[in-house]
Amino acid sequence: MSGSSAALQPPASARKPERHPDAPAPGELIGAHYEHCFGCGHGQSHGLHLEVRAGEGVSLTAEFTVRPAHQGAPGLAHGGVLATALDETLGSLNWLLRKIAVTGRLETDFVRPVPVGTTLHLAAEVVAVAGRKIYSTATGRVDGPTGPVAVRADALFVEVPVEHFVDNGRTEEIQAAMKDPDQARRARAFEVNP
């Protein structure tokens, strides 16, 4: 990891992450954890609609196309939107560990501008786990999966119980998610970093 902060450096006691036996298979589309998630859900008209695929080990790839609604400066992606894409990609790694976790810290480097119309190709992996802490890294490239790096991030996720969402989320959305007759969709709404 390239994180400059000590909080993003795994401790000496950290272990190599292990892919959960029930994790999606390499190449499998992971899909949205919640329809209204700004990052991966399709219920947000201006959302990123991030498409995430499981990779080998504890890694994955994702893509999203920068649309006019994602602009900061004229014709360029907003840095906050790019940070959101990295955070959502890094959060999706938790599917491969089968852990419920939230972002504790995210450090982002903006290397080059990303124009509207560009498809950002993201790659992420978990590099270490120490207790409830999950250390991850990601890069976003333009012009294809091996193109120039535009953004990169290092992150620390913290495993939490599902009550974290139930106790802190807005009641209407929590109740709607809990009443979903589709048991798998109901469980997914609370399984990945929101």
Side-chain angles (χ1 to χ4, degrees), residues 4-74:
S4 57
S5 144
L8 292 175
Q9 300 303 319
S13 62
R15 62 179 170 77
K16 183 177 176 178
E18 293 183 26
R19 183 189 192 95
H20 192 279
D22 295 331
E28 184 177 329
L29 187 63
I30 292 178
H33 70 94
Y34 177 55
E35 177 186 354
H36 298 290
C37 174
F38 181 79
C40 64
H42 292 282
Q44 295 282 347
S45 60
H46 296 301
L48 303 183
H49 304 168
L50 204 68
E51 295 290 328
V52 180
R53 291 195 180 279
E56 297 292 331
V58 189
S59 72
L60 55 74
T61 59
E63 292 182 5
F64 96 96
T65 300
V66 178
R67 294 179 287 148
H70 303 143
Q71 290 182 83

Side-chain angles (χ1 to χ4, degrees), residues 136-151:
S136 306
T137 190
T139 57
R141 298 174 180 270
V142 295
D143 301 328
T146 60
V149 173
V151 292

Side-chain angles (χ1 to χ4, degrees), residues 91-148:
S92 295
L93 287 163
N94 297 315
W95 278 108
L96 304 177
L97 300 172
R98 302 298 293 163
K99 296 194 181 283
I100 301 171
V102 295
T103 309
R105 186 175 190 93
L106 176 71
E107 289 188 12
T108 307
D109 295 319
F110 300 96
V111 179
R112 68 178 60 238
V114 180
V116 169
T118 299
T119 298
L120 192 64
H121 300 266
L122 298 132
E125 69 176 323
V126 177
V127 295
V129 175
R132 295 177 42 224
K133 295 180 178 181
I134 302 165
Y135 298 85
S136 306
T137 190
T139 57
R141 298 174 180 270
V142 295
D143 301 328
T146 60

